[in-house]
PDB file of all heavy atoms in Angstrom:
ATOM      1  N   ALA A 190     112.600 116.203 104.238  1.00 97.00           N
ATOM      2  CA  ALA A 190     113.617 115.114 104.359  1.00 97.00           C
ATOM      3  C   ALA A 190     114.126 114.564 103.045  1.00 97.00           C
ATOM      4  O   ALA A 190     115.269 114.125 102.954  1.00 97.00           O
ATOM      5  CB  ALA A 190     112.999 113.992 105.230  1.00 97.00           C
ATOM      6  N   GLY A 191     113.314 114.692 102.024  1.00 97.00           N
ATOM      7  CA  GLY A 191     113.768 114.166 100.699  1.00 97.00           C
ATOM      8  C   GLY A 191     115.017 114.762 100.119  1.00 97.00           C
ATOM      9  O   GLY A 191     115.853 114.162  99.442  1.00 97.00           O
ATOM     10  N   ILE A 192     115.302 116.052 100.549  1.00 98.00           N
ATOM     11  CA  ILE A 192     116.491 116.717  99.964  1.00 98.00           C
ATOM     12  C   ILE A 192     117.767 116.117 100.676  1.00 98.00           C
ATOM     13  O   ILE A 192     118.855 116.117 100.087  1.00 98.00           O
ATOM     14  CB  ILE A 192     116.462 118.231 100.120  1.00 98.00           C
ATOM     15  CG1 ILE A 192     117.523 118.835  99.211  1.00 98.00           C
ATOM     16  CG2 ILE A 192     116.691 118.677 101.550  1.00 98.00           C
ATOM     17  CD1 ILE A 192     117.423 120.321  99.008  1.00 98.00           C
ATOM     18  N   SER A 193     117.560 115.532 101.831  1.00 98.00           N
ATOM     19  CA  SER A 193     118.746 114.954 102.525  1.00 98.00           C
ATOM     20  C   SER A 193     118.878 113.404 102.273  1.00 98.00           C
ATOM     21  O   SER A 193     119.852 112.787 102.651  1.00 98.00           O
ATOM     22  CB  SER A 193     118.670 115.223 103.996  1.00 98.00           C
ATOM     23  OG  SER A 193     118.716 116.663 104.292  1.00 98.00           O
ATOM     24  N   ALA A 194     117.872 112.888 101.578  1.00 96.00           N
ATOM     25  CA  ALA A 194     117.832 111.362 101.353  1.00 96.00           C
ATOM     26  C   ALA A 194     119.157 110.950 100.652  1.00 96.00           C
ATOM     27  O   ALA A 194     119.783 109.886 101.116  1.00 96.00           O
ATOM     28  CB  ALA A 194     116.628 110.996 100.536  1.00 96.00           C
ATOM     29  N   GLU A 195     119.541 111.717  99.671  1.00 97.00           N
ATOM     30  CA  GLU A 195     120.744 111.245  98.892  1.00 97.00           C
ATOM     31  C   GLU A 195     122.075 111.567  99.559  1.00 97.00           C
ATOM     32  O   GLU A 195     123.140 111.222  99.138  1.00 97.00           O
ATOM     33  CB  GLU A 195     120.746 111.881  97.474  1.00 97.00           C
ATOM     34  CG  GLU A 195     119.597 111.298  96.616  1.00 97.00           C
ATOM     35  CD  GLU A 195     119.168 112.189  95.500  1.00 97.00           C
ATOM     36  OE1 GLU A 195     118.361 113.092  95.711  1.00 97.00           O
ATOM     37  OE2 GLU A 195     119.691 111.928  94.330  1.00 97.00           O
ATOM     38  N   SER A 196     121.920 112.205 100.734  1.00 98.00           N
ATOM     39  CA  SER A 196     123.142 112.308 101.612  1.00 98.00           C
ATOM     40  C   SER A 196     123.230 111.166 102.603  1.00 98.00           C
ATOM     41  O   SER A 196     124.192 111.113 103.369  1.00 98.00           O
ATOM     42  CB  SER A 196     123.096 113.636 102.398  1.00 98.00           C
ATOM     43  OG  SER A 196     123.257 114.735 101.469  1.00 98.00           O
ATOM     44  N   GLY A 197     122.125 110.335 102.594  1.00 95.00           N
ATOM     45  CA  GLY A 197     122.125 109.188 103.513  1.00 95.00           C
ATOM     46  C   GLY A 197     121.240 109.407 104.718  1.00 95.00           C
ATOM     47  O   GLY A 197     121.222 108.514 105.622  1.00 95.00           O
ATOM     48  N   VAL A 198     120.530 110.535 104.865  1.00 95.00           N
ATOM     49  CA  VAL A 198     119.685 110.685 106.007  1.00 95.00           C
ATOM     50  C   VAL A 198     118.298 110.027 105.686  1.00 95.00           C
ATOM     51  O   VAL A 198     117.704 110.326 104.694  1.00 95.00           O
ATOM     52  CB  VAL A 198     119.416 112.184 106.230  1.00 95.00           C
ATOM     53  CG1 VAL A 198     118.516 112.384 107.568  1.00 95.00           C
ATOM     54  CG2 VAL A 198     120.753 112.910 106.428  1.00 95.00           C
ATOM     55  N   PRO A 199     117.833 109.101 106.517  1.00 90.00           N
ATOM     56  CA  PRO A 199     116.595 108.399 106.183  1.00 90.00           C
ATOM     57  C   PRO A 199     115.370 109.400 106.234  1.00 90.00           C
ATOM     58  O   PRO A 199     115.397 110.261 107.135  1.00 90.00           O
ATOM     59  CB  PRO A 199     116.455 107.326 107.330  1.00 90.00           C
ATOM     60  CG  PRO A 199     117.497 107.619 108.308  1.00 90.00           C
ATOM     61  CD  PRO A 199     118.452 108.564 107.738  1.00 90.00           C
ATOM     62  N   THR A 200     114.477 109.198 105.353  1.00 92.00           N
ATOM     63  CA  THR A 200     113.316 110.109 105.396  1.00 92.00           C
ATOM     64  C   THR A 200     112.371 109.489 106.495  1.00 92.00           C
ATOM     65  O   THR A 200     112.686 108.549 107.103  1.00 92.00           O
ATOM     66  CB  THR A 200     112.577 110.069 104.062  1.00 92.00           C
ATOM     67  OG1 THR A 200     112.219 108.736 103.772  1.00 92.00           O
ATOM     68  CG2 THR A 200     113.415 110.728 102.937  1.00 92.00           C
ATOM     69  N   PHE A 201     111.240 110.169 106.678  1.00 89.00           N
ATOM     70  CA  PHE A 201     110.354 109.780 107.774  1.00 89.00           C
ATOM     71  C   PHE A 201     109.307 108.726 107.230  1.00 89.00           C
ATOM     72  O   PHE A 201     109.089 107.709 107.850  1.00 89.00           O
ATOM     73  CB  PHE A 201     109.578 110.984 108.322  1.00 89.00           C
ATOM     74  CG  PHE A 201     110.513 111.864 109.034  1.00 89.00           C
ATOM     75  CD1 PHE A 201     111.082 112.987 108.505  1.00 89.00           C
ATOM     76  CD2 PHE A 201     110.862 111.599 110.392  1.00 89.00           C
ATOM     77  CE1 PHE A 201     112.019 113.805 109.139  1.00 89.00           C
ATOM     78  CE2 PHE A 201     111.810 112.446 111.030  1.00 89.00           C
ATOM     79  CZ  PHE A 201     112.338 113.531 110.443  1.00 89.00           C
ATOM     80  N   ARG A 202     108.780 109.084 106.069  1.00 85.00           N
ATOM     81  CA  ARG A 202     107.615 108.297 105.581  1.00 85.00           C
ATOM     82  C   ARG A 202     107.854 107.514 104.369  1.00 85.00           C
ATOM     83  O   ARG A 202     106.966 106.847 103.872  1.00 85.00           O
ATOM     84  CB  ARG A 202     106.380 109.277 105.351  1.00 85.00           C
ATOM     85  CG  ARG A 202     105.960 109.946 106.620  1.00 85.00           C
ATOM     86  CD  ARG A 202     104.984 111.081 106.421  1.00 85.00           C
ATOM     87  NE  ARG A 202     104.736 111.636 107.709  1.00 85.00           N
ATOM     88  CZ  ARG A 202     105.554 112.524 108.256  1.00 85.00           C
ATOM     89  NH1 ARG A 202     106.601 112.943 107.674  1.00 85.00           N
ATOM     90  NH2 ARG A 202     105.258 113.003 109.539  1.00 85.00           N
ATOM     91  N   GLY A 203     109.136 107.501 103.835  1.00 74.00           N
ATOM     92  CA  GLY A 203     109.354 106.750 102.647  1.00 74.00           C
ATOM     93  C   GLY A 203     109.319 105.240 102.999  1.00 74.00           C
ATOM     94  O   GLY A 203     109.176 104.850 104.168  1.00 74.00           O
ATOM     95  N   LYS A 204     109.565 104.420 101.935  1.00 73.00           N
ATOM     96  CA  LYS A 204     109.508 102.929 102.144  1.00 73.00           C
ATOM     97  C   LYS A 204     110.512 102.541 103.244  1.00 73.00           C
ATOM     98  O   LYS A 204     110.173 101.686 104.106  1.00 73.00           O
ATOM     99  CB  LYS A 204     109.730 102.179 100.902  1.00 73.00           C
ATOM    100  CG  LYS A 204     110.892 102.592 100.013  1.00 73.00           C
ATOM    101  CD  LYS A 204     110.828 101.968  98.678  1.00 73.00           C
ATOM    102  CE  LYS A 204     111.960 102.484  97.720  1.00 73.00           C
ATOM    103  NZ  LYS A 204     112.018 103.917  97.745  1.00 73.00           N
ATOM    104  N   ASP A 205     111.729 103.123 103.302  1.00 73.00           N
ATOM    105  CA  ASP A 205     112.645 102.688 104.360  1.00 73.00           C
ATOM    106  C   ASP A 205     112.720 103.789 105.411  1.00 73.00           C
ATOM    107  O   ASP A 205     113.735 103.966 106.091  1.00 73.00           O
ATOM    108  CB  ASP A 205     114.057 102.474 103.721  1.00 73.00           C
ATOM    109  CG  ASP A 205     114.610 103.762 103.013  1.00 73.00           C
ATOM    110  OD1 ASP A 205     113.695 104.640 102.868  1.00 73.00           O
ATOM    111  OD2 ASP A 205     115.716 103.810 102.647  1.00 73.00           O
ATOM    112  N   GLY A 206     111.611 104.498 105.562  1.00 78.00           N
ATOM    113  CA  GLY A 206     111.608 105.635 106.438  1.00 78.00           C
ATOM    114  C   GLY A 206     111.748 105.305 107.859  1.00 78.00           C
ATOM    115  O   GLY A 206     111.475 104.175 108.299  1.00 78.00           O
ATOM    116  N   LEU A 207     112.152 106.359 108.578  1.00 77.00           N
ATOM    117  CA  LEU A 207     112.439 106.248 110.021  1.00 77.00           C
ATOM    118  C   LEU A 207     111.193 105.760 110.768  1.00 77.00           C
ATOM    119  O   LEU A 207     111.274 104.963 111.695  1.00 77.00           O
ATOM    120  CB  LEU A 207     112.818 107.663 110.638  1.00 77.00           C
ATOM    121  CG  LEU A 207     114.315 107.978 110.678  1.00 77.00           C
ATOM    122  CD1 LEU A 207     114.450 109.297 111.321  1.00 77.00           C
ATOM    123  CD2 LEU A 207     115.034 106.888 111.471  1.00 77.00           C
ATOM    124  N   TRP A 208     110.052 106.290 110.386  1.00 73.00           N
ATOM    125  CA  TRP A 208     108.828 105.955 111.078  1.00 73.00           C
ATOM    126  C   TRP A 208     108.480 104.480 110.901  1.00 73.00           C
ATOM    127  O   TRP A 208     107.579 103.938 111.579  1.00 73.00           O
ATOM    128  CB  TRP A 208     107.656 106.879 110.685  1.00 73.00           C
ATOM    129  CG  TRP A 208     107.860 108.295 111.158  1.00 73.00           C
ATOM    130  CD1 TRP A 208     107.452 109.403 110.372  1.00 73.00           C
ATOM    131  CD2 TRP A 208     108.535 108.817 112.270  1.00 73.00           C
ATOM    132  NE1 TRP A 208     107.766 110.551 111.073  1.00 73.00           N
ATOM    133  CE2 TRP A 208     108.438 110.238 112.216  1.00 73.00           C
ATOM    134  CE3 TRP A 208     109.104 108.289 113.410  1.00 73.00           C
ATOM    135  CZ2 TRP A 208     108.935 111.086 113.155  1.00 73.00           C
ATOM    136  CZ3 TRP A 208     109.607 109.150 114.390  1.00 73.00           C
ATOM    137  CH2 TRP A 208     109.505 110.509 114.280  1.00 73.00           C
ATOM    138  N   LYS A 209     109.064 103.830 109.841  1.00 70.00           N
ATOM    139  CA  LYS A 209     108.705 102.420 109.677  1.00 70.00           C
ATOM    140  C   LYS A 209     109.199 101.579 110.862  1.00 70.00           C
ATOM    141  O   LYS A 209     108.614 100.661 111.277  1.00 70.00           O
ATOM    142  CB  LYS A 209     109.248 101.901 108.342  1.00 70.00           C
ATOM    143  CG  LYS A 209     108.695 102.484 107.105  1.00 70.00           C
ATOM    144  CD  LYS A 209     107.256 101.909 106.827  1.00 70.00           C
ATOM    145  CE  LYS A 209     106.516 102.735 105.760  1.00 70.00           C
ATOM    146  NZ  LYS A 209     106.034 104.009 106.328  1.00 70.00           N
ATOM    147  N   ARG A 210     110.318 102.003 111.352  1.00 74.00           N
ATOM    148  CA  ARG A 210     110.973 101.205 112.443  1.00 74.00           C
ATOM    149  C   ARG A 210     110.575 101.720 113.853  1.00 74.00           C
ATOM    150  O   ARG A 210     110.677 101.074 114.814  1.00 74.00           O
ATOM    151  CB  ARG A 210     112.466 101.239 112.286  1.00 74.00           C
ATOM    152  CG  ARG A 210     113.035 100.009 111.475  1.00 74.00           C
ATOM    153  CD  ARG A 210     114.447 100.161 111.129  1.00 74.00           C
ATOM    154  NE  ARG A 210     114.613 101.191 110.108  1.00 74.00           N
ATOM    155  CZ  ARG A 210     115.753 101.925 110.015  1.00 74.00           C
ATOM    156  NH1 ARG A 210     116.741 101.801 110.897  1.00 74.00           N
ATOM    157  NH2 ARG A 210     115.903 102.832 109.042  1.00 74.00           N
ATOM    158  N   TYR A 211     110.177 102.963 113.841  1.00 77.00           N
ATOM    159  CA  TYR A 211     109.813 103.568 115.135  1.00 77.00           C
ATOM    160  C   TYR A 211     108.332 104.140 115.033  1.00 77.00           C
ATOM    161  O   TYR A 211     107.925 104.551 113.999  1.00 77.00           O
ATOM    162  CB  TYR A 211     110.752 104.650 115.576  1.00 77.00           C
ATOM    163  CG  TYR A 211     112.181 104.267 115.708  1.00 77.00           C
ATOM    164  CD1 TYR A 211     113.037 104.328 114.669  1.00 77.00           C
ATOM    165  CD2 TYR A 211     112.581 103.668 116.947  1.00 77.00           C
ATOM    166  CE1 TYR A 211     114.329 103.872 114.774  1.00 77.00           C
ATOM    167  CE2 TYR A 211     113.954 103.254 117.032  1.00 77.00           C
ATOM    168  CZ  TYR A 211     114.774 103.346 115.981  1.00 77.00           C
ATOM    169  OH  TYR A 211     116.080 102.910 116.083  1.00 77.00           O
ATOM    170  N   ARG A 212     107.746 104.224 116.182  1.00 78.00           N
ATOM    171  CA  ARG A 212     106.449 104.896 116.165  1.00 78.00           C
ATOM    172  C   ARG A 212     106.624 106.303 116.685  1.00 78.00           C
ATOM    173  O   ARG A 212     107.080 106.427 117.859  1.00 78.00           O
ATOM    174  CB  ARG A 212     105.434 104.168 117.073  1.00 78.00           C
ATOM    175  CG  ARG A 212     104.986 102.826 116.444  1.00 78.00           C
ATOM    176  CD  ARG A 212     104.118 101.971 117.378  1.00 78.00           C
ATOM    177  NE  ARG A 212     103.215 102.778 118.149  1.00 78.00           N
ATOM    178  CZ  ARG A 212     102.033 103.202 117.570  1.00 78.00           C
ATOM    179  NH1 ARG A 212     101.761 102.879 116.361  1.00 78.00           N
ATOM    180  NH2 ARG A 212     101.231 103.911 118.282  1.00 78.00           N
ATOM    181  N   PRO A 213     106.375 107.307 115.897  1.00 75.00           N
ATOM    182  CA  PRO A 213     106.673 108.638 116.287  1.00 75.00           C
ATOM    183  C   PRO A 213     106.065 108.991 117.690  1.00 75.00           C
ATOM    184  O   PRO A 213     106.656 109.706 118.482  1.00 75.00           O
ATOM    185  CB  PRO A 213     106.141 109.588 115.239  1.00 75.00           C
ATOM    186  CG  PRO A 213     105.399 108.711 114.304  1.00 75.00           C
ATOM    187  CD  PRO A 213     105.793 107.313 114.515  1.00 75.00           C
ATOM    188  N   GLU A 214     104.864 108.405 118.021  1.00 73.00           N
ATOM    189  CA  GLU A 214     104.159 108.726 119.224  1.00 73.00           C
ATOM    190  C   GLU A 214     105.045 108.308 120.380  1.00 73.00           C
ATOM    191  O   GLU A 214     104.966 108.793 121.424  1.00 73.00           O
ATOM    192  CB  GLU A 214     102.824 108.040 119.301  1.00 73.00           C
ATOM    193  CG  GLU A 214     101.814 108.440 118.217  1.00 73.00           C
ATOM    194  CD  GLU A 214     102.254 107.796 116.819  1.00 73.00           C
ATOM    195  OE1 GLU A 214     102.763 106.704 116.850  1.00 73.00           O
ATOM    196  OE2 GLU A 214     102.027 108.449 115.822  1.00 73.00           O
ATOM    197  N   GLU A 215     105.860 107.260 120.129  1.00 80.00           N
ATOM    198  CA  GLU A 215     106.633 106.684 121.246  1.00 80.00           C
ATOM    199  C   GLU A 215     107.918 107.533 121.458  1.00 80.00           C
ATOM    200  O   GLU A 215     108.643 107.322 122.479  1.00 80.00           O
ATOM    201  CB  GLU A 215     107.013 105.251 121.007  1.00 80.00           C
ATOM    202  CG  GLU A 215     105.899 104.253 121.297  1.00 80.00           C
ATOM    203  CD  GLU A 215     106.112 102.969 120.572  1.00 80.00           C
ATOM    204  OE1 GLU A 215     107.314 102.637 120.182  1.00 80.00           O
ATOM    205  OE2 GLU A 215     105.170 102.166 120.370  1.00 80.00           O
ATOM    206  N   LEU A 216     108.264 108.362 120.536  1.00 90.00           N
ATOM    207  CA  LEU A 216     109.547 108.981 120.615  1.00 90.00           C
ATOM    208  C   LEU A 216     109.558 110.496 120.446  1.00 90.00           C
ATOM    209  O   LEU A 216     110.113 111.205 121.241  1.00 90.00           O
ATOM    210  CB  LEU A 216     110.487 108.350 119.543  1.00 90.00           C
ATOM    211  CG  LEU A 216     110.823 106.951 119.831  1.00 90.00           C
ATOM    212  CD1 LEU A 216     111.314 106.205 118.577  1.00 90.00           C
ATOM    213  CD2 LEU A 216     111.886 106.797 120.874  1.00 90.00           C
ATOM    214  N   ALA A 217     108.812 110.922 119.398  1.00 91.00           N
ATOM    215  CA  ALA A 217     108.931 112.443 119.020  1.00 91.00           C
ATOM    216  C   ALA A 217     107.735 113.187 119.676  1.00 91.00           C
ATOM    217  O   ALA A 217     107.065 113.841 118.956  1.00 91.00           O
ATOM    218  CB  ALA A 217     109.088 112.571 117.595  1.00 91.00           C
ATOM    219  N   THR A 218     107.515 113.056 120.983  1.00 94.00           N
ATOM    220  CA  THR A 218     106.461 113.828 121.576  1.00 94.00           C
ATOM    221  C   THR A 218     106.872 114.214 123.017  1.00 94.00           C
ATOM    222  O   THR A 218     107.680 113.428 123.608  1.00 94.00           O
ATOM    223  CB  THR A 218     105.169 112.958 121.800  1.00 94.00           C
ATOM    224  OG1 THR A 218     105.352 111.968 122.793  1.00 94.00           O
ATOM    225  CG2 THR A 218     104.714 112.291 120.464  1.00 94.00           C
ATOM    226  N   PRO A 219     106.281 115.292 123.545  1.00 96.00           N
ATOM    227  CA  PRO A 219     106.606 115.717 124.967  1.00 96.00           C
ATOM    228  C   PRO A 219     106.210 114.630 125.965  1.00 96.00           C
ATOM    229  O   PRO A 219     106.940 114.400 126.935  1.00 96.00           O
ATOM    230  CB  PRO A 219     105.826 116.987 125.129  1.00 96.00           C
ATOM    231  CG  PRO A 219     105.277 117.346 123.819  1.00 96.00           C
ATOM    232  CD  PRO A 219     105.387 116.227 122.837  1.00 96.00           C
ATOM    233  N   PHE A 220     105.157 113.936 125.616  1.00 94.00           N
ATOM    234  CA  PHE A 220     104.669 112.912 126.532  1.00 94.00           C
ATOM    235  C   PHE A 220     105.673 111.729 126.622  1.00 94.00           C
ATOM    236  O   PHE A 220     106.081 111.289 127.683  1.00 94.00           O
ATOM    237  CB  PHE A 220     103.293 112.348 126.078  1.00 94.00           C
ATOM    238  CG  PHE A 220     102.787 111.238 126.900  1.00 94.00           C
ATOM    239  CD1 PHE A 220     102.368 111.472 128.190  1.00 94.00           C
ATOM    240  CD2 PHE A 220     102.877 109.893 126.436  1.00 94.00           C
ATOM    241  CE1 PHE A 220     101.879 110.386 128.987  1.00 94.00           C
ATOM    242  CE2 PHE A 220     102.515 108.837 127.181  1.00 94.00           C
ATOM    243  CZ  PHE A 220     102.020 109.088 128.543  1.00 94.00           C
ATOM    244  N   ALA A 221     106.188 111.317 125.405  1.00 94.00           N
ATOM    245  CA  ALA A 221     107.174 110.272 125.344  1.00 94.00           C
ATOM    246  C   ALA A 221     108.443 110.684 126.150  1.00 94.00           C
ATOM    247  O   ALA A 221     109.010 109.898 126.956  1.00 94.00           O
ATOM    248  CB  ALA A 221     107.541 109.973 123.917  1.00 94.00           C
ATOM    249  N   PHE A 222     108.894 111.968 125.989  1.00 96.00           N
ATOM    250  CA  PHE A 222     110.044 112.433 126.665  1.00 96.00           C
ATOM    251  C   PHE A 222     109.899 112.412 128.163  1.00 96.00           C
ATOM    252  O   PHE A 222     110.696 112.012 128.976  1.00 96.00           O
ATOM    253  CB  PHE A 222     110.402 113.839 126.154  1.00 96.00           C
ATOM    254  CG  PHE A 222     111.704 114.331 126.726  1.00 96.00           C
ATOM    255  CD1 PHE A 222     112.965 113.865 126.271  1.00 96.00           C
ATOM    256  CD2 PHE A 222     111.741 115.343 127.642  1.00 96.00           C
ATOM    257  CE1 PHE A 222     114.137 114.290 126.745  1.00 96.00           C
ATOM    258  CE2 PHE A 222     112.891 115.817 128.144  1.00 96.00           C
ATOM    259  CZ  PHE A 222     114.126 115.296 127.728  1.00 96.00           C
TER     260      PHE A 222
END
Side-chain angles (χ1 to χ4, degrees):
I192 198 168
S193 296
E195 290 160 276
S196 291
V198 182
T200 59
F201 292 95
R202 295 171 184 81
K204 48 193 174 310
D205 57 350
L207 267 181
W208 294 142
K209 291 284 167 288
R210 265 169 289 150
Y211 298 93
R212 288 170 45 74
E214 299 75 31
E215 281 161 19
L216 293 159
T218 70
F220 175 73
F222 185 73

